[in-house]
Amino acid sequence: MKDNTAKENAVKKAYIRKPLIVGNWKMNKDHLESLNYMQKLFWNLQDKRFDFSKIDLCILPPFTSIRSVQLLVDSDNIPIFYGAQDVSDSLDGPYTGDISAQFLKKLGVTFSLVGHSERRRYHDETVKTIIGKLKMSLQLGITPILCVGSVNADDDSSIDQQIDYALMQVSKALTFLQGFGFENIVIAYEPVSAIGRGTTVDPNDIDIMTASIRNCIEYQASKKAAQNIRILYGGSVDSKNAASILELENVDGLLVGGASLDWEEFSRIALISEKLVSEKFIPEKLISEK
Ligand code: PEP
């Protein structure tokens, strides 16, 4: 692919799926810090006249903060979604330390992160476990965000290897989630080589990967599913590179780790995304609306 192809596609882009910007806090922020952050984020975005109808914003706090975030969001009518960083593949039973999707649903959780490379690396998650977590989320009405892309949880594989692996992951999910509502999931391309490293991967690689994922969905499922499913990019996103990634034709949002820990930086990313969408927003074309 020529160097400028991603840029050319970006110029043509119109936002037909509602962008989703997700902040993954990982193992950071206790429940008091979470409350403080959520209030500041909301007040700041309100002050800056952020249009919450144009972008879906979601925070993934640690499990121990979810109840506090729920109470705050409900009492102050904060239009920001929240979700879980993981979910069990079982509904209940003798699984010490695991958290059931049914408990999360009762806490008003909208999204669950599934198959993050850190879960695969430190908790040996297999494709089978990941499929179980996707199923459990969908059955309980929680939208799973499936992380794909890295061949091994700790390697720097080439883009071709990553594409093969990601398409295998998507394909398995498509096969095993038939009848479970596959078209309701979100897919995040998260190259391990970019996570927490301070630099994103080449935008052309993101462009090829996200286009390949969408083609795979169309080929294996349907054109409608391919049009509806939101594909995110994650890996060292910040306010300096967010726009150039979000402009890529098949990128419908961002999964932000380190940069989401600071409410001012996450606000900047949200505002940049909203500005982009407002400039290229075609409401009658908008397909996915949460
Ligand atoms: C992540 O771990 O999901 C992530 C995207 O991290 P970071 O933005 O810090 O690279």
Side-chain angles (χ1 to χ4, degrees):
M1 177 168 286
K2 284 191 207 121
D3 270 342
N4 58 352
T5 307
K7 266 195 199 140
E8 283 165 10
N9 287 343
V11 174
K12 288 187 227 135
K13 180 173 181 174
Y15 290 86
I16 57 170
R17 288 166 288 274
K18 193 171 182 184
L20 169 64
I21 310 294
V22 182
N24 175 18
W25 288 352
K26 311 192 185 197
M27 200 172 71
N28 293 290
K29 299 194 190 298
D30 63 28
H31 72 290
L32 296 174
E33 291 164 330
S34 302
L35 288 176
N36 187 280
Y37 177 113
M38 289 301 285
Q39 275 171 329
K40 288 193 168 136
L41 175 67
F42 178 51
W43 292 337
N44 186 46
L45 289 174
Q46 263 190 325
D47 276 357
K48 302 265 164 56
R49 309 224 175 284
F50 178 82
D51 184 347
F52 287 92
S53 70
K54 296 229 169 92
I55 304 273
D56 285 338
L57 287 185
C58 175
I59 292 294
L60 306 177
F63 286 126
T64 47
S65 297
I66 293 180
R67 175 69 176 150
S68 306
V69 169
Q70 177 194 28
L71 291 174
L72 175 71
V73 162
D74 286 354
S75 66
D76 291 10
N77 283 321
I78 297 181
I80 297 176
F81 296 106
Y82 53 93
Q85 295 175 19
D86 184 36
V87 60
S88 173
D89 57 349
S90 300
L91 193 61
D92 51 27
Y95 304 102
T96 304
D98 285 2
I99 305 288
S100 166
Q102 62 180 336
F103 308 154
L104 295 169
K105 188 66 189 171
K106 288 201 175 142
L107 293 176
V109 156
T110 305
F111 294 95
S112 60
L113 196 60
V114 175
H116 191 281
S117 57
E118 286 154 13
R119 298 288 318 168
R120 291 197 278 129
R121 180 176 192 177
Y122 303 122
H123 301 273
D124 294 329
E125 282 192 2
T126 60
V127 174
K128 187 168 169 275
T129 317
I130 290 167
I131 298 287
K133 292 181 175 198
L134 293 172
K135 273 189 189 166
M136 206 44 84
S137 300
L138 287 169
Q139 279 178 320
L140 270 296
I142 295 172
T143 302
I145 303 172
L146 168 64
C147 298
V148 300
S150 39
V151 180
N152 298 311
D154 52 3
D155 77 350
D156 284 2
S157 45
S158 72
I159 183 64
D160 288 338
Q161 289 171 309
Q162 288 180 40
I163 290 177
D164 285 350
Y165 194 73
L167 298 192
M168 181 278 289
Q169 289 172 299
V170 171
S171 184
K172 282 222 163 123
L174 276 168
T175 306
F176 290 105
L177 296 180
Q178 263 183 32
F180 288 85
F182 175 83
E183 52 295 340
N184 297 323
I185 78 168
V186 173
I187 296 175
Y189 167 45
E190 286 233 309
V192 168
S193 59
I195 293 180
R197 305 274 177 99
T199 42
T200 63
V201 294
D202 181 344
N204 280 313
D205 286 353
I206 304 175
D207 200 38
I208 303 170
M209 172 64 94
T210 48
S212 306
I213 293 173
R214 203 168 303 284
N215 286 340
C216 170
I217 301 168
E218 179 168 346
Y219 179 75
Q220 211 184 314
S222 65
K223 193 170 182 138
K224 193 165 176 278
Q227 280 182 332
N228 274 305
I229 288 176
R230 291 186 282 190
I231 303 175
L232 317 183
Y233 167 79
S236 293
V237 171
D238 59 24
S239 60
K240 291 188 200 77
N241 55 36
S244 61
I245 299 168
L246 209 48
E247 280 191 324
L248 298 172
E249 194 182 359
N250 285 289
V251 175
D252 307 309
L254 304 166
L255 180 50
V256 189
S260 73
L261 291 174
D262 173 6
W263 61 267
E264 285 182 292
E265 177 65 351
F266 195 64
S267 299
R268 280 193 283 275
I269 297 170
L271 288 159
I272 287 165
S273 310
E274 189 230 43
K275 186 166 177 284
L276 260 182
V277 174
S278 302
E279 281 166 3
K280 298 189 184 176
F281 189 64
I282 307 188
E284 64 274 18
K285 280 202 168 177
L286 191 74
I287 296 173
S288 83
E289 187 102 42
K290 277 262 11 127

